[in-house]
Amino acid sequence: MELGDNNVIGPYTVLIGPTRIGDNNLIGPHASIGTPAEYRGGPHPVGWDGEIEGAGVIIGDGNIIREFVTVNQGTHEPTTIGNDCYALARSHIGHDIVLHNSVTLADAVQLGGHTHVWSWANIGMGTVVHQRTQVGPGAMIGMGSAVRKDVPPFTITVGNPARVSGVNRVGLSRRGCSDAVVDVFASYLAGKSPLPADLPAELADQLAAWSKIQTQES
């Protein structure tokens, strides 16, 4: 267990290793971080002393992890939470998951193992995300959705099964995009035009990385 500086950890929270937590995080009461992955073939010790077999958990800086949140450690790769993420009460972050920076999980969001949630994504209350799914940068998923397949970047997705219903114009504007760029981005998502050339650098880097991953998996 490695714990950085200026962290606040609420009462009755359980932290199990191997876990590495950065600085300036707020972890609420009754959270559970670093417990074994939830799969039948894995270890389920009755008790523990020190570290538990597994790939562990890595948590960055400036995150808010509210009460009763569960974070299972990885089986092959560490379960990873970046910086400035906000996991609301009773959300579940399963094994081998990656959350990029500034991700928001509303109350009771359930993420299946090996899910990859990219920066600035916002997942609504009570949403269930199937294992090994990718949620693209800046995606907004409406509450109570059942996500069964990858969610494209900066889309609005809702329903059971979840379907894309529009473009996250608010999210794009918050990332520094003008109305004209947002219009072109909407056309890009519809496959009618190339990616806008004048995107903010951070956003362009995320979209380039997303496109590379999607190409490799196709």
Side-chain angles (χ1 to χ4, degrees):
M1 168 68 65
E2 299 179 28
L3 188 61
D5 298 326
N6 301 317
N7 292 294
V8 176
I9 300 174
Y12 305 108
T13 283
V14 175
L15 303 176
I16 301 297
T19 293
R20 185 165 75 245
I21 299 175
D23 303 329
N24 303 309
N25 297 286
L26 189 155
I27 301 174
H30 296 278
S32 175
I33 297 174
T35 46
E38 295 179 324
Y39 73 107
R40 286 183 178 273
H44 291 86
V46 175
W48 49 75
D49 181 15
E51 295 188 346
I52 295 176
E53 177 184 352
V57 173
I58 298 174
I59 297 175
D61 303 328
N63 299 286
I64 299 175
I65 298 174
R66 292 294 301 268
E67 53 270 22
F68 296 101
V69 169
T70 52
V71 184
N72 293 158
Q73 66 168 295
T75 58
H76 299 90
E77 301 291 340
T79 300
T80 302
I81 299 174
N83 304 322
D84 192 37
C85 293
Y86 190 5
L88 277 71
R90 295 177 174 80
S91 53
H92 173 66
I93 301 169
H95 62 86
D96 298 272
I97 281 175
V98 176
L99 303 187
H100 282 206
N101 298 333
S102 303
V103 168
T104 300
L105 306 180
D107 298 85
V109 166
Q110 309 295 299
L111 301 179
H114 301 274
T115 297
H116 188 162
V117 183
W118 292 64
S119 292
W120 318 306
N122 191 319
I123 303 180
M125 180 171 57
T127 289
V128 178
V129 180
H130 195 277
Q131 62 189 21
R132 300 185 185 276
T133 299
Q134 303 248 354
V135 178
M140 173 75 73
I141 301 176
M143 65 180 183
S145 297
V147 178
R148 303 182 187 178
K149 60 182 181 180
D150 291 356
V151 177
F154 288 98
T155 53
I156 297 173
T157 299
V158 66
N160 183 0
R163 294 183 174 88
V164 174
S165 63
V167 175
N168 186 4
R169 303 183 70 92
V170 172
L172 285 165
S173 65
R174 287 176 177 172
R175 302 255 57 90
C177 296
S178 66
D179 289 342
V181 169
V182 172
D183 289 339
V184 175
F185 192 88
S187 179
Y188 158 75
L189 287 176
K192 298 178 180 179
S193 66
L195 189 67
D198 50 352
L199 292 170
E202 186 179 24
L203 195 156
D205 290 344
Q206 282 281 300
L207 291 173
W210 167 266
S211 296
K212 182 177 179 180
I213 290 293
Q214 293 297 303
T215 300
Q216 291 172 348
E217 294 183 350
S218 64

